[in-house]
Amino acid sequence: MAQTAQWLEGYIRAWRSKDAADVRAIFTDDAEYWFRPDDADPIRGIEAIVEMWQEDEPTDPEFVLDVLIENERLGIIKGHVDYPGHQFYSNLWEVHFAADGRAQRFVEWFMTPRVASPEE
């Protein structure tokens, strides 16, 4: 699971720094970034991904993310991300690797916790 774990370290570094070079280090020039697998269109291309990553976060995220499975072309990461005081997400991420180890396609599957109704 070395390739996916290494990529995840780079993702976390880029997430924290928001530095364009850190983002370029983990995504190919023609990468697709899907926020949900059923999105009409992903964010396409490294320049658009870099620009998207410059957006402010609602709070500093806290996260637990682990590599679930991988092969040479695909890594699956599971865990959760908490934006304290804002939102908690359960996550499953697909990282489709190019030959150089960067993501050519990234797909987030994120869910928010179900709120129990008063009858439950």
Side-chain angles (χ1 to χ4, degrees), residues 7 9-29 31 33 43 45-55 101-104:
W7 186 89
E9 288 175 14
Y11 184 98
I12 291 168
R13 183 174 32 260
W15 191 3
R16 288 181 172 150
S17 73
K18 299 201 179 280
D19 184 89
D22 289 341
V23 178
R24 285 185 175 92
I26 58 169
F27 291 102
T28 62
D29 291 347
Y33 192 114
I43 305 295
I46 191 62
E47 295 308 320
I49 294 170
V50 167
E51 182 178 331
M52 179 265 303
W53 274 50
Q54 301 307 310
E55 296 174 8
R102 293 182 298 160
Q104 190 163 29

Side-chain angles (χ1 to χ4, degrees), residues 59-75:
T59 62
D60 287 334
E62 298 172 1
F63 46 83
V64 174
L65 297 163
D66 297 299
V67 177
L68 182 61
I69 56 174
E70 78 170 353
N71 63 30
E72 65 278 351
R73 300 289 298 162
L74 176 66

Side-chain angles (χ1 to χ4, degrees), residues 11 15 18 27 32-45 48-57 83 89-94 105-112:
Y11 184 98
W15 191 3
K18 299 201 179 280
F27 291 102
E32 295 180 351
Y33 192 114
W34 295 78
F35 286 100
R36 292 187 176 271
D38 61 350
D39 278 346
D41 288 305
I43 305 295
R44 292 184 198 274
I49 294 170
V50 167
E51 182 178 331
M52 179 265 303
W53 274 50
Q54 301 307 310
E55 296 174 8
D56 289 332
E57 303 282 359
Y83 290 93
Y89 299 98
S90 294
N91 298 92
L92 188 69
W93 294 348
E94 299 174 25
R105 184 172 189 248
F106 177 77
V107 182
E108 291 188 40
W109 298 69
F110 65 88
M111 290 111 334
T112 56

